[in-house]
């Protein structure tokens, strides 16, 4: 349960103002059909984060515990810094017409999530909690849905009212705390 809750909270915070959330706003505005978009986000996220989680779990078998501790600690610190850099949606990530709303959403979200903050966080969390692969993937998926479903349902109205910079700062502090705790070897005693 701990891996699930940490993954959910971190990804929900990290996703606020992220390019995939911007994509959710854009899809909602373009198609105005929220439920196929929400379902498409869910399917794309499950597949993307399952692959990322599998990579993270696989890495734990290849790397010594001490090296993994340093890699994870530095990764969490890098994520903290990355959280402070605003995202924008690239032109090549915007969906092209010609597919249904669901298929367009699945393809666009899967591709936009490649190398994204939340995908990298999923790799790191799965490496940190290798015995809890399903909990990590379920948690990161839940975090994505917590951030993106309101974006689809309420659209631009919500985006204008969220203090994105504050949310990113809070997420950066949490990632930095995880990084410091991991590097200091406090992770085990604190459950990180």
């Amino acid at each position: 349960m701990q891996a699930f809750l940490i993954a959910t909270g971190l990804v929900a915070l990290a996703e606020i103002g992220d390019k995939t959330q911007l994509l959710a706003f854009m899809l909602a505005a373009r198609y105005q059909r929220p439920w196929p978009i929400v379902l498409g986000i869910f399917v794309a996220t499950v597949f993307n984060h399952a692959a990322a989680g599998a990579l993270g779990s696989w890495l734990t078998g290849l790397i010594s515990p001490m090296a993994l501790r340093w890699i994870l600690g530095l990764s969490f610190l890098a994520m903290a810094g990355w959280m402070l850099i605003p995202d924008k949606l690239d032109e090549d990530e915007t969906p092209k017409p010609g597919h249904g709303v669901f298929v367009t959403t699945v393809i666009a979200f899967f591709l936009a999530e490649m190398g994204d903050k939340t995908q990298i966080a999923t790799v790191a969390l799965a490496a940190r909690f290798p015995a809890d692969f399903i909990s990590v993937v379920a948690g990161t998926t839940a975090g994505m849905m917590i951030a993106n479903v309101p974006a689809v349902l309420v659209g631009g109205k919500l985006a204008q009212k969220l203090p994105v910079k504050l949310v990113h700062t809070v997420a950066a502090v949490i990632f930095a705390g995880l990084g410091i705790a991991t590097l200091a070897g406090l992770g085990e005693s604190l459950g990180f």
Side-chain angles (χ1 to χ4, degrees), residues 1-190:
M1 190 62 149
Q2 183 178 24
F4 174 81
L5 293 174
I6 290 171
T8 300
L10 282 177
V11 169
L13 286 172
E15 184 64 11
I16 302 295
D18 192 69
K19 68 182 175 181
T20 47
Q21 189 180 54
L22 300 174
L23 178 60
F25 285 126
M26 189 191 71
L27 289 167
R30 178 179 286 177
Y31 294 110
Q32 298 182 9
R33 294 193 49 216
W35 298 114
I37 295 169
V38 168
L39 184 58
I41 292 169
F42 177 76
V43 169
T45 301
V46 167
F47 281 109
N48 193 290
H49 288 204
L55 175 63
S57 294
W58 178 70
L59 288 174
T60 61
L62 297 178
I63 301 170
S64 74
M66 181 58 81
L68 184 62
R69 182 174 118 191
W70 280 95
I71 291 169
L72 287 175
L74 294 174
S75 295
F76 284 132
L77 290 173
M79 284 296 300
W82 195 5
M83 284 304 307
L84 300 174
I85 300 170
D87 268 340
K88 65 180 181 64
L89 190 61
D90 298 328
E91 285 299 315
D92 60 342
E93 294 169 338
T94 56
K96 308 291 183 245
H99 301 292
V101 176
F102 171 75
V103 172
T104 298
T105 303
V106 170
I107 293 168
F109 250 79
F110 186 85
L111 294 176
E113 189 64 11
M114 297 299 287
D116 195 51
K117 292 172 192 158
T118 50
Q119 186 190 42
I120 303 300
T122 302
V123 171
L125 288 165
R128 178 61 197 96
F129 298 104
D132 295 319
F133 169 80
I134 291 176
S135 295
V136 167
V137 173
T140 59
T141 301
M144 288 286 288
M145 299 311 289
I146 287 168
N148 287 309
V149 170
V152 171
L153 297 179
V154 214
K157 297 173 191 170
L158 179 66
Q160 297 167 359
K161 295 184 181 185
L162 280 175
V164 174
K165 190 171 184 173
L166 174 63
V167 171
H168 278 212
T169 301
V170 169
V173 168
I174 293 170
F175 274 115
L178 284 172
I180 292 167
T182 301
L183 289 172
L186 300 173
E188 292 297 321
S189 63
L190 297 175

